[in-house]
């Protein structure tokens, strides 16, 4: 008997936690099971061939909105090539309309709806004991107790080049009507002793990133602070921990932990979604935006924690003008990433069930994104799509932040109006039809800036160069006439570099002389001004802040060197 657990991830760097849970839960049957993870970027025939070469008796697919169409095509091909192979599916994309799904797809033998930790090993036991026969059916799985949830990496190899997904709790205490997490009630918190043991395992493995899939990391603020302090105390200097926070429930102990943590140790995501109370109330969501703002500003001020904020366009009662206000207020918090998302009416969610009430029109295929509703038109949503595109290309990428700030300052536009104007220029030139390099993106931004006519064009050029260098790899930018000056200064002021040979040291840096106060402007000062003498700035690409910008050092030199 040979069994395969498989899926199509959205990116190579992602991994599938569900497959690892099922593998661990299989117990004595693990020797019968293989795990193979592909991506939606893999060629269909390549995936089909690799699976068929395994000659599996049972193939189990983990199904999501990003892979369901490709997965069903793959299943049909497998069924035609090997009619005796049994097909099992599970996952959120098949769990909430299980009966109609099974009626449409007679090529599937078993559908597991819900958590598979307990029912999957029983299914395998039945298959083995029956000699491979399998009754076609739906298995409705109940939520399992914490004790029945295994550590998913006990026997599974960790790929250190991929994100390691982990949960310290299962379930969500909130009832947001647009979210699948609201469907299952109750929260199961794993014992702290277990969580610390598992976190220690990741730290010893020195993985690059552990991403908590807890729906809300700070359900229990005291517990969250304890986990954070444990991570800080056992920090290996490499591993980064990403988690999603409820932004108005961040305790003083958590804020203190952020402040004392290593640069890059923590990365947080906060779902704001909207700043309007009536919109959030319609989604069964209650938050205090002023408290979110206060907490977010404090975390960002520490410059050591990457902060990602989310908005959702298309929520009930939120007009285009209201969304613009949400955008402007959240943008003003200066997050390192601002995701402008679009509402998806997911199967099983309350909002999908109440879609007629709000006049929703949405795509009938995954990802079920809305086209319009009673409060925002399709044209207005398409405008937001264009804004989202340039926001993702520029604001959410390192290397543009100071230039964007300067253009906002000099044009006097509000953030949304600026990005709307920029997006209209970008699309009018046909740039959206091409895959553009970073160098071309700078050229486009410069072209656009010429239309707004900033007073300090030379200063803007230098600021854009500063941004380019701050995001560049080592040894990409240098003026060799300053090499000896840079080498002497770094050796004298940074002991960790004293044993490094001159050539090798210089190759770990970028350095350039500037005539404008670009470093002051990047540090938050107002106004871009020409200085009395040039400033020699040294960038250390190996030391980046939470915004992805290299640490910058100003070297004081005499006028002769800087002529």
């Amino acid at each position: 008997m040979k069994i395969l657990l498989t899926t199509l991830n959205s990116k190579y760097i992602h991994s599938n936690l569900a497959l690892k849970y099922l593998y661990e839960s299989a117990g004595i049957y693990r020797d019968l099971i293989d795990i193979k993870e592909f991506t939606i970027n893999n060629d269909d025939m390549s995936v089909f061939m690799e699976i068929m070469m395994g000659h599996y008796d049972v193939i189990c697919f983990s199904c999501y909105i990003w892979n369901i169409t490709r997965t069903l095509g793959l299943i049909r091909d497998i069924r035609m090539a090997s009619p005796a192979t049994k097909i099992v599916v599970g996952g959120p994309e098949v769990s909430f309309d299980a009966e109609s799904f099974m009626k449409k797809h007679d090529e599937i033998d078993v559908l597991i709806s819900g958590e598979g930790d307990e029912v999957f090993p029983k299914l395998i036991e039945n298959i083995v004991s029956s000699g491979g026969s399998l009754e076609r059916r739906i298995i409705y799985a109940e939520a399992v107790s914490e004790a029945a949830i295994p550590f998913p990496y006990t026997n599974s190899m960790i790929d250190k080049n991929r994100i390691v997904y982990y949960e310290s709790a299962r379930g969500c205490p909130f009832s947001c009507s647009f979210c699948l997490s609201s469907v299952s009630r109750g929260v199961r918190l794993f014992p702290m002793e277990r969580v610390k043991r598992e976190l220690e395992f990741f730290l010893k493995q020195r993985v690059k990133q552990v991403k908590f899939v807890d729906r809300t990391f700070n359900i229990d603020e005291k517990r969250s602070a304890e986990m954070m302090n444990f991570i800080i105390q056992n920090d290996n200097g490499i591993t980064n921990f990403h988690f999603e926070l409820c932004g108005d429930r961040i305790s003083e102990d958590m804020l203190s932990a952020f402040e004392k943590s290593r640069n890059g140790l923590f990365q947080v995501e906060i779902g704001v979604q909207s700043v309007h109370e009536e919109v959030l109330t319609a989604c069964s969501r209650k938050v205090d935006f002023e408290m979110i703002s206060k907490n977010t500003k404090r975390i960002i001020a520490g410059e050591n924690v990457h902060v990602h904020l989310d908005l959702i366009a298309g929520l009930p009662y939120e007009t285009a003008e209201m969304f613009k206000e949400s955008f402007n207020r959240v943008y003003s918090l200066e997050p390192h990433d601002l995701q402008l998302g679009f509402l998806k009416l997911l199967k099983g969610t309350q909002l999908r069930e109440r879609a007629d009430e709000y006049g929703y029109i949405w795509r009938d295929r995954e990802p079920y994104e809305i086209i319009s509703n009673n409060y925002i038109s399709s044209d207005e949503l398409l405008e937001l799509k264009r804004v989202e595109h340039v926001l993702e290309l520029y604001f959410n990428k390192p290397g543009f932040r100071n230039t964007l700030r300067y253009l906002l300052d000099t044009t006097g536009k509000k953030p949304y109006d600026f990005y709307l104007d920029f997006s209209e220029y970008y699309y009018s030139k046909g740039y959206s039809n091409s895959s553009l390099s970073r160098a071309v993106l700078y050229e486009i931004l410069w072209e656009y800036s010429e239309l707004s006519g900033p007073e300090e064009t030379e200063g803007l050029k230098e600021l854009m160069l500063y941004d380019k260098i701050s995001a560049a790899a080592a040894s990409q930018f240098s003026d060799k006439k300053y090499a000896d000056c840079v080498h002497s200064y770094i050796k004298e002021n940074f002991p960790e570099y004293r044993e490094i040979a001159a050539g090798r040291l210089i190759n770990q840096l970028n350095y350039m002389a500037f005539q404008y106060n670009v470093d002051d402007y990047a540090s938050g000062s107002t106004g871009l001004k020409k200085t009395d003498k040039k400033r020699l700035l040294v960038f250390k690409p190996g030391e980046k802040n939470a915004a992805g910008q290299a640490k910058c050092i100003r070297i004081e030199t005499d006028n002769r060197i800087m002529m």
Side-chain angles (χ1 to χ4, degrees):
M1 178 71 63
K2 293 186 67 179
I3 300 166
L4 176 66
L5 294 170
T6 191
T7 194
L8 298 170
N9 296 319
S10 58
K11 296 179 180 178
Y12 172 78
I13 197 172
H14 296 167
S15 60
N16 187 286
L17 184 59
L19 299 185
K20 294 172 177 60
Y21 271 126
L22 296 179
Y23 182 78
E24 292 298 334
S25 72
I28 61 173
Y29 300 108
R30 273 195 296 270
D31 290 344
L32 305 177
I33 299 174
D34 291 337
I35 296 179
K36 290 184 182 293
E37 297 186 48
F38 304 95
T39 80
I40 56 175
N41 299 313
N42 290 134
D43 175 70
D44 285 345
M45 182 54 66
S46 298
V47 176
F48 172 72
M49 287 175 61
E50 186 164 343
I51 290 176
M52 293 305 297
M53 286 169 61
H55 302 289
Y56 295 103
D57 301 290
V58 182
I59 304 175
C60 310
F61 291 90
S62 187
C63 303
Y64 301 86
I65 56 172
W66 61 79
N67 70 17
I68 186 62
T69 297
R70 296 275 302 280
T71 298
L72 288 171
L74 188 57
I75 289 171
R76 287 191 289 270
D77 291 346
I78 291 169
R79 179 62 81 195
M80 287 187 287
S82 179
T85 300
K86 305 301 181 185
I87 303 295
V88 179
V89 297
E93 188 54 24
V94 300
S95 288
F96 297 102
D97 62 347
E99 290 188 17
S100 63
F101 187 87
M102 287 292 276
K103 286 178 182 177
K104 291 178 185 175
H105 301 286
D106 57 7
E107 65 272 21
I108 294 168
D109 296 293
V110 173
L111 185 155
I112 298 177
S113 172
E115 299 180 14
D117 306 82
E118 288 186 330
V119 299
F120 180 71
K122 293 178 182 176
L123 174 65
I124 300 304
E125 182 180 12
N126 290 339
I127 294 172
V128 172
S129 62
S130 65
S133 65
L134 191 59
E135 176 189 354
R136 190 170 193 267
R137 66 189 189 278
I138 300 170
I139 301 174
Y140 291 98
E142 299 293 329
V144 302
S145 67
E146 176 277 323
I149 301 172
F151 178 54
Y153 299 99
T154 303
N155 294 283
S156 298
M157 292 291 291
I158 289 181
D159 186 342
K160 295 180 182 179
N161 294 315
R162 296 189 181 193
I163 297 170
V164 175
Y165 292 94
Y166 172 71
E167 60 182 350
S168 71
R170 191 176 286 189
C172 183
F174 304 112
S175 303
C176 305
S177 59
F178 51 78
C179 182
L180 274 177
S181 299
S182 65
V183 176
S184 57
R185 299 294 179 184
V187 179
R188 288 147 285 168
L189 301 176
F190 296 3
M192 185 55 65
E193 189 175 311
R194 167 183 172 169
V195 172
K196 288 181 178 178
R197 184 173 63 249
E198 294 170 354
L199 292 176
E200 186 176 21
F201 172 83
F202 296 132
L203 289 162
K204 287 182 177 178
Q205 291 283 319
R206 301 171 77 81
V207 299
K208 289 182 180 178
Q209 185 179 61
V210 175
K211 189 168 186 176
F212 281 80
V213 295
D214 300 21
R215 296 298 177 255
T216 305
F217 179 77
N218 55 333
I219 294 172
D220 181 329
E221 295 162 72
K222 182 178 178 181
R223 179 177 183 270
S224 303
E226 186 175 349
M227 279 193 279
M228 291 173 68
N229 283 312
F230 178 83
I231 291 169
I232 291 169
Q233 291 161 13
N234 294 274
D235 181 19
N236 59 18
I238 295 174
T239 305
N240 160 268
F241 291 85
H242 174 112
F243 39 77
E244 188 166 342
L245 295 176
C246 183
D248 56 355
R249 296 180 58 172
I250 305 174
S251 68
E252 181 61 35
D253 286 345
M254 292 181 67
L255 291 168
S256 297
F258 282 127
E259 288 170 350
K260 69 183 180 184
S261 66
R262 166 179 61 84
N263 178 30
L265 178 59
F266 295 123
Q267 183 174 319
V268 301
E269 184 173 346
I270 297 173
V272 180
Q273 319 313 7
S274 173
V275 303
H276 300 287
E277 186 175 350
E278 63 268 40
V279 173
L280 297 173
T281 298
C283 299
S284 303
R285 183 178 175 87
K286 185 174 178 60
V287 298
D288 181 345
F289 180 70
E290 296 308 315
M291 184 58 71
I292 291 176
S293 299
K294 180 181 176 181
N295 290 335
T296 300
K297 287 178 180 177
R298 183 166 164 186
I299 296 171
I300 290 172
E303 299 185 347
N304 60 334
V305 177
H306 186 92
V307 177
H308 173 124
L309 301 181
D310 295 328
L311 287 171
I312 298 178
L315 295 174
Y317 302 125
E318 187 159 61
T319 63
E321 287 302 314
M322 291 170 70
F323 185 84
K324 291 174 188 177
E325 183 184 350
S326 291
F327 182 96
N328 289 334
R329 291 177 69 183
V330 173
Y331 189 95
S332 71
L333 300 179
E334 299 181 345
H336 304 116
D337 275 286
L338 172 54
Q339 181 177 337
L340 198 171
F342 294 83
L343 180 66
K344 298 170 180 60
L345 293 180
L346 303 175
K347 294 178 182 179
T349 59
Q350 298 171 39
L351 205 51
R352 179 159 172 153
E353 293 175 2
R354 298 174 61 187
D356 291 345
E357 181 180 338
Y358 303 112
Y360 276 112
I361 298 173
W362 75 95
R363 290 173 175 78
D364 61 359
R365 60 193 181 280
E366 65 287 341
Y368 315 113
E369 190 170 291
I370 73 157
I371 294 171
S372 65
N373 63 23
N374 289 340
Y375 316 99
I376 192 164
S377 69
S378 58
D379 285 343
E380 289 168 330
L381 280 170
L382 288 173
E383 176 183 296
L384 295 181
K385 280 281 187 183
R386 294 191 293 272
V387 168
E388 184 269 339
H389 184 64
V390 296
L391 184 79
E392 190 63 30
L393 284 176
Y394 287 91
F395 183 76
N396 289 341
K397 296 288 189 294
F400 299 96
R401 183 157 297 242
N402 297 299
T403 305
L404 292 170
R405 178 186 153 212
Y406 182 76
L407 290 173
L408 275 164
D409 288 346
T410 54
T411 60
K413 289 184 170 71
K414 290 184 177 180
Y416 184 87
D417 294 332
F418 168 79
Y419 283 100
L420 175 60
D421 191 54
F422 184 25
S423 70
E424 289 174 348
Y425 173 80
Y426 183 91
Y427 275 82
S428 71
K429 295 294 184 178
Y431 293 132
S432 61
N433 300 321
S434 305
S435 178
L436 305 174
S437 68
R438 181 179 288 270
V440 173
L441 290 175
Y442 283 113
E443 290 174 9
I444 294 169
L445 189 57
W446 176 255
E447 288 172 11
Y448 172 73
S449 74
E450 290 184 306
L451 299 177
S452 59
E455 294 180 7
E456 290 287 1
T457 55
E458 290 305 312
L460 178 57
K461 282 182 180 178
E462 285 208 347
L463 186 62
M464 191 175 287
L465 176 60
Y466 178 96
D467 272 346
K468 286 181 184 179
I469 300 175
S470 74
S475 195
Q476 298 298 304
F477 292 88
S478 60
D479 190 333
K480 297 303 182 184
K481 67 185 176 187
Y482 303 123
D484 289 342
C485 177
V486 170
H487 178 252
S488 298
Y489 183 89
I490 294 294
K491 287 271 191 175
E492 182 178 342
N493 292 277
F494 296 92
E496 65 269 28
Y497 289 102
R498 285 176 187 163
E499 302 303 318
I500 301 177
R504 184 167 156 236
L505 170 56
I506 290 298
N507 286 335
Q508 292 182 16
L509 307 169
N510 288 309
Y511 52 95
M512 193 68 65
F514 292 84
Q515 189 66 69
Y516 284 76
N517 64 332
V518 290
D519 54 331
D520 291 336
Y521 188 83
S523 297
S525 70
T526 57
L528 196 56
K529 301 169 186 175
K530 195 169 187 177
T531 56
D532 294 334
K533 67 174 184 177
K534 288 184 179 180
R535 295 179 174 185
L536 180 56
L537 302 182
V538 179
F539 299 81
K540 302 171 72 177
E543 298 179 33
K544 292 189 175 179
N545 63 17
Q549 297 170 318
K551 182 177 180 180
C552 178
I553 304 161
R554 186 197 305 175
I555 296 181
E556 301 296 344
T557 64
D558 60 49
N559 287 325
R560 288 181 298 103
I561 297 175
M562 301 306 296
M563 291 297 287

